[in-house]
Each structure stands twice: as C-alpha cells, then as structure tokens.
Amino acid sequence: MSELSTKDIMYLPGVGPKKADLLKKEIEVFSVEDMLFYFPFRYVDRSQYYKIKDITSTSAYVQIRGTITAIQKVGSGRNMRLSAVFSDGDSSVELVWFKGVKYIEDKYKPGVEYVIFGKPSAFNGKYNFVHPEIESPDDAKTKQTAGGLLGVYNTTEKMKSGFLTSKAIQNIMFSIVKNILSSYELPETLPAYILQKLNLLRLHDSILNIHFPKNSDLLQKAQFRLKFEELFYVQLNILRHTKIRSQRYKGFPFDKIGDYFNTFYKECLPFDLTDAQKRVIREIRADVGSGRQMNRLLQGDVGSGKTLVALMVMLMAIDNNFQACMMAPTEILANQHLESVCSMIGKLNIKVALLTGSTKKSERDKLLQQLESGEIHILIGTHALLEDRVVFKNLGMVIIDEQHRFGVAQRAKLWNKNVQPPHVLVMTATPIPRTLAMTLYGDLDVSVIDQLPPGRKPIQTFHQFDIKKAGIYDFVRKQINAGRQAYVVYPLIQESEKSDYKNLESGFEQLKQIFPEYKICMVHGKMKAAEKDEQMQKFASGEAHILVSTTVIEVGVNVPNASVMIIESAERFGLSQLHQLRGRVGRGAEQSYCILITSVKLSKESRQRMDIMVQSNDGFEISEADLKMRGPGDLEGTQQSGIPFNLKIANLANDGQILQLARETALEILEEDPSLDGEKNFVLNRQLNQLAKGKINWGAIS
Ligand code: ADP
Ligand code: MG
C-alpha cells in the first residue's frame, strides 16, 4: 500500500465526480492506487496498421489508417445513429455511433486522415465498427510506446455510456504515470531477497510496463511478477494459517493397525484393492500415525472406490479406540453408505448407525445416547451430524464425502466435535484442477486415486438432438430387454422452478406411455425421504427398470446393473455435473452408455461442453476444461470458499506453474521463519496485514 491509496481518483485531471462515481461503482476503483492496479486484459500491437479487406470474422482489435468519405445521421429519435464511411484507399467500412453523435459529428470531418481502432463486428453480411476509437495520426503516434503494444481495458456498458472507454482509462493511466510516477516511486511489496532470487521486476517497473510496455519482453516480466505476487500472497496466507493451526493442535496418534483393520483386510474384502487405493491408504496411515492432525483431501474419479478407502480409514480409528463419522450431502447417499458399510463389515463386531434429518425422535434420542456412551463406533449421516446435540464420546476420524457440496464452515464444525480436533478426510469425486485445489484447499494435503477398479469398460457417450428421441427409446428398450436398467435425468436447476417440475412430471408420464411394459419409478428433491427411499429401493433392487429423476442422484448413487444414462436438456448442466451423472453408470461389468439430449439450437459453449463429454471420460481432464471455459469463480464449490477468485491478473486455468512456484516459495519462507518475524520478512507481514484488512475472511478458510 502506498500513499496513492489515499488519493481519491476524483481529483485526477480528466476524471471528476461523475467518472469517479462510475469507476467506484463499476470496477471498485476508488484511489489512484486502485487505478494503477486495474490492468489491461489484453494488448494490441499499435505499430501495425490493418487493411480493411483483411478483416475476418475472427479479427480482434485492429487499427486502420484512412479517411472518412461520408458521414450522416441515420434514423430518428431513439434509433438515431451516426454512420460514417471510412476508407483506407482500397476498401471501406462503416463506422457507427449511437451515443455522443453531435460531438463526433462536430469533431471528425470528411477528407481528413484519422486512425481508427476497434473490434469489427459483422452486421448484415458486412463488417462495421461500433463506437471505434478515432484520433489523428499524430495523437495515435504519441500513444504508441516504443514497443507498439497498447493495453486494452475492460469496461462495462455503463462506463462506456459515461465516456469511460478503454481509451479514456488509458488516458487516465497515462496522466498518473506522467504526473505522479515520474517523481514518486511505488513502494516495493515483495522482500528484496525474493526479487533477487527469482529475478523479478520491481513493482514500480512492473506497473509502468503493465500499462505501457516498453517491449514485449518487459511486458512479460511485468506480468510474471504481478501474477506471482498475487498468487504468492494467497498461498502465504493459507499456509501460514495451516502452520499456526498445526502448532496449536496435536493430532490423535493412531499407533496401531489392529484387529478390525486386519480382519477386514484378510477376511471381508470382496476384491483386491487397486494399487491406487493401497497407496492412498498408506498415505493416510502415515498421516494419522504421525502425531499431526490429518487434514487430507482425497480426490478420485467417480467409481474409483473411495468409499472403501473411507471405511478402512474408519477401521483404523476404531482399532485405536476412537469413533468415526462420515457425512454425505444427501439422504440417499447416506443411506447407501450405510448399506455398503454394513454389508462389507458383516463379520466384524462393529456398531454402525445412521442419522439424518428424517431419523425419528425416539430413535434419534436413543442413538445420541449410544453415541455419547461410545456404544456406536461409526456414525453415518447428512448435515444432521453437524447439530450441536450430536455429541461423541471420542471422535477421532471425520470423513466428508463429496466435499464440494459442503462449505468450509461445515468442515470447521465437525472439527469441534472433540476437545482435540479429529483427523479429517474430505473426499471429492468432482476432480478439481490441481491449481484450484491448491488454492481452494491449499491447507489440505492431497491424495489421488488415479485408477479405476479392473474390468470396467469405459462408458460410451453420445450427443443426440431431441428430435431423434425415437431411436434413443429403441436403444433403451434393447438394453432393458437384455436385463439392464436405465436412468433418465431432468434438469432441476432451481428447486422453486415450477416449469422444471412440469418437465419432469410430463417426462415421467410420457415414458410410461412409451414403455408400458416396464416399471418406472421417480425421485426428486421435493419428495419425503421415505418416499424417495422407497422409489430408490425399487430401482436398486431391480424391480423398476427405469428411474426418472432430477440431479438428486448426481452424487454417489450406486446401482451397478444400470447401464444407460439419459440426460434430458443436457445443455442446462455444467460439465462437472454431467460427468457426475454419467458416473452413475459404468459401475458393473456391462458396457454402459450415456446419451446427452439437447435441443438443436445450441450455443457455441454448450456444443463445446457436449463435445468434451463425448470425447473424454477423465474427470480431471473435464475439470480442467471446465476451469478454462468458465473461470474458477463459477466452478462448484468455489463460491462458499470465501477465497477471492476475482484474481486481478493471475489465471488459475493457465498459470499453474507460477502458482506452483508461489506455493513453493511461500513454503520455504515459512519453513525458515514460521511467524514471519524476521527483519527481512517485514514486507510480507505488512502485506498480509493489508490483505487481512480487506474483504477476505481468511480465518474462515482453515
Ligand atoms: P466412488 O469413488 O465414486 O465413491 P465407490 O466407492 O462407490 O466409488 O465404488 C464404486 C464401486 O466400485 C463399488 O461398487 C465398489 O464396491 C467397487 N469397488 C471399490 N473398490 C474396488 C476394487 N478394488 N475392486 C473392485 N471393485 C471395487
Ligand atoms: Mg462415492
């Protein structure tokens, strides 16, 4: 933070109260310093002039030199616009203004040479420029830095109507650089030894070059430094909290592998563990035996066998006289965990109980009492586990399934279920790109099950338009006649969305007519738990052939005989959701199929999503694609995290290497100076304190 952080942007020449107000409201720029940290989102090479005939539909910002050959107002009233013909000698293109018509008309005259700059858009089969920048060749020249690279700034519609265009921002930036930064050096925000070690550009030079690059090399250095710094402080913050926490809390040492674990391994395990499962169990074993409190994220694609790992980890706790619990995001899933755990531990003398929102009071009272007395070894449940009245005798291990469904606060709540916090294993089948995991769960160690149990056939995925449903139904019929079962999923994005329910219900009725010979059941979120259970049970037992549902079945549900997943209006789902849904099939030995049905009218992005799904079965690959397409702020799980994903310059989809460097650097520093008291780390402390004063509640993250 420099003294420029207290200099109101309003008082800069050319800004004033109106524009200052827009800057504050639209892009949260209050001070001169904020302005300097509003970076261009791209650069154009202004040393190059474009020819009009070379414009194509993919042209980005271009600069053209030429003259206006005609200019006139067209239309009237609200539709009035100013239209000019601009020629570069060879060919011509239309320039259009809807606003500031009079000003433009007075200022720019036919026959005079100008330089225009803007992004061509296609209109009526021709290209035009709407609200291009226009200036004299001399003015354009002064804009050109030696390297010719010119920053382009994001502006909102409101900003544009208030004449705060990219060019206007650039002018403001130019005046700050010329009038202030020529005699004032921005205070450095990274310690000198880091700058030196990593050969980073100083902050002052980085800011100058990010706005007005001297050449592309310096631009790159400036970007690198600013990205590094941004990611570095996020990592330093997370890791410092983790350090403080691990100093404050010891973990329960699980010293021994006892009878429960061993008997299970030798006598109950219905199949061999995959190598990946073995490795992960070893990693966890080392963690819980170390005397440290474990905080681990277990990532594994759908069907990779996380539940089994969870169970074996819980057995470790029981072997050491602790209780364990496992929390799932839905009742269906909690029920299923209960069933699979009970069926697997048949021979062991272990008491497992289920607690959900619909557990009856009498039953619950008894259960809570048994929990407190230590009679219950494993408690499986939903959010109901978080309630204060749920008290354990000695909780040593917490498993959270499908972590992305829970917020950080909920994780913290389970922490407090014992005087000393239990070990925590969070599991997710929505693989998170590594960069995101490092940021979102930067305080967790990560284990990955990167292998599916043997004998699984990759699911075949198809994309079909809804006009071709007849063929799809024939296919479903063949599968069912061969003994399989099918899911048909409808989008239910908003619980309150009436039309979604209508689609679901009418889809259900329709299917009953199309398949009169089959039994069809249905589940959705509005059903009572008992009703849901009954329907699920019908499907799981094989009594029903088709299950119509909303995304309540998205996570975890396991019916190995189901081999067809039909997703209606697939364009309304996100990639990770589609992948999760698809993961409901392909769980048995038979070839499974996923059919994505969309309308014929598809946006480019929806089509891209369908293509990715058809091409890839790999959850990690899909999550990377998701991150690239949507940006981290929109990915599931990031909203509740409290982490500011509106990073100013770094991009988690592309800057993985810089993030890795930032994390390693932060780790090294904390290793040497955990409390950052050293004199050379003074700057770090100051910056972290500044961050803490901001909007971010870092405390909530760990
Ligand atoms: P997820 O990781 O999606 O939670 P599950 O734990 O539900 O996956 O496991 C999916 C299926 O794979 C289950 O039916 C489970 O019994 C089976 N399974 C797990 N581990 C193995 C293994 N090592 N070999 C064969 N089948 C396995
Ligand atoms: Mg699971």
Side-chain angles (χ1 to χ4, degrees), residues 163 167 560 594:
F163 303 105
K167 181 178 162 190
C594 173

Side-chain angles (χ1 to χ4, degrees), residues 114 165 178 228 430 551 651:
Y114 296 110
T165 56
K178 204 166 123 232
F228 173 84
T430 307
T551 49
N651 174 337

Side-chain angles (χ1 to χ4, degrees), residues 306-307 337 401-402 556:
K306 292 183 295 295
T307 319
H337 283 326
D401 196 17
E402 308 299 348

Side-chain angles (χ1 to χ4, degrees), residues 652-664:
L652 292 178
N654 300 326
D655 298 325
Q657 273 183 321
I658 306 179
L659 175 58
Q660 185 70 40
L661 179 70
R663 187 174 173 88
E664 280 162 14

Side-chain angles (χ1 to χ4, degrees), residues 260 263-264 266-269 341-350:
Y260 287 123
T263 312
F264 179 80
K266 286 189 200 120
E267 293 174 28
C268 306
L269 205 55
V341 165
C342 288
S343 74
M344 284 197 278
I345 58 166
K347 287 185 196 158
L348 306 177
N349 190 17
I350 286 180

Side-chain angles (χ1 to χ4, degrees), residues 271-274 277 301-307 453 456 558 587:
F271 31 63
D272 289 337
L273 293 176
T274 61
Q277 284 171 318
D301 214 340
V302 279
S304 60
K306 292 183 295 295
T307 319
R456 300 266 171 86
N558 191 24
R587 303 187 144 239

